[in-house]
Amino acid sequence: MSNPVDYQNLFRLDGRRALLIGAGGIGGEAGLALAAHGAQVVAADRDPAVAKATAEAVSGESLELDITDPEAVERAAEQLGDLDVVVLTAAMNVRKRILDYTPEEFDRVVNLNLRGTFSVFRAFGARMVARGSGSIIGFSSIRGRTVEPGQSVYAATKAGLEMLVRTAAVEFGEAGVRVNAIAPGVVETPLTQQIKNDPGWYQAYATKGALGRWSKPSELAGAVVYLASDASSFVTGSTLAVDGGWTAVDGRFTPPT
């Protein structure tokens, strides 16, 4: 057999540099997993303390970065130079019904979740395309496909992110750059504390998915390593659902069969 694949090391990331934008929660776990597989990790966050804590945990670099500032994103891309992997987890949500949403709240959510994603793809994608390799991983959500009252703008930004991923995958693909998304379900992080504090709400979310529970941030890390590594060398323009079967189920009621 010619050119055998080294399956034993298919997920290894030795010698590769990975930028993690959004270094807390899911991002922090992703950083630990990338480093465990050999990557040199740069932890970036608009909160320098969060970036520093994750950087120390992975023996990497830290960077203060606000992706709502396109010029700051461009400067970061120039400063960091060649990167093999970019992981973007930074996002926000304002849970309000459409009739209660203010224009200012709309702008805040869209500026971070969608405009920020565009800036990251543009700045770091340009350098990967010029070099001819790289993997960009954005974080979508089950809300990019399924919604509930109060999730309109957040859901719209996540659906938009998935279309940016697909378009970037097509435009960057000839240069050998892959672009994919991960769509988590409900994850136990500080951002979901409001839901966790309500037992009925918490349980309703837990039983919506096929596995009957919430996920931990660490359960998203394997998907990040997969999409960053050669194990996914022919995967681009895809959204990988890591949602415990949430989007496979059409409701919480289990009828008699």
Side-chain angles (χ1 to χ4, degrees), residues 50 68 81 123 125 136:
V50 172
T68 63
I136 300 174

Side-chain angles (χ1 to χ4, degrees), residues 71-89:
E71 293 182 359
V73 176
E74 286 287 347
R75 287 195 301 269
E78 186 68 27
Q79 172 188 339
L80 293 173
D82 287 349
L83 292 166
D84 300 288
V85 180
V86 172
V87 181
L88 173 60
T89 71

Side-chain angles (χ1 to χ4, degrees), residues 153-218:
V153 181
Y154 179 79
T157 62
K158 290 306 182 179
L161 179 146
E162 291 192 19
M163 294 311 296
L164 282 177
V165 161
R166 293 176 184 177
T167 307
V170 172
E171 294 181 356
F172 302 171
E174 289 187 1
V177 178
R178 298 183 298 107
V179 188
N180 292 286
I182 294 170
V186 288
V187 187
E188 295 200 2
T189 72
L191 294 178
T192 55
Q193 192 64 47
Q194 175 188 4
I195 302 169
K196 291 166 63 179
N197 289 341
D198 185 317
W201 200 354
Y202 182 91
Q203 187 60 22
Y205 271 20
T207 56
K208 172 62 177 71
L211 296 181
R213 63 178 178 83
W214 289 43
S215 69
K216 300 179 179 65
S218 59

Side-chain angles (χ1 to χ4, degrees), residues 65-114:
L65 177 61
D66 180 357
I67 64 170
T68 63
D69 181 349
E71 293 182 359
V73 176
E74 286 287 347
R75 287 195 301 269
E78 186 68 27
Q79 172 188 339
L80 293 173
D82 287 349
L83 292 166
D84 300 288
V85 180
V86 172
V87 181
L88 173 60
T89 71
M92 69 170 295
N93 187 9
V94 174
R95 300 181 65 96
K96 283 187 176 182
R97 292 174 180 259
I98 291 172
L99 299 184
D100 298 323
Y101 237 90
T102 68
E104 293 76 19
E105 289 166 338
F106 178 94
D107 288 343
R108 277 199 295 134
V109 176
V110 171
N111 282 343
L112 177 59
N113 295 5
L114 196 56

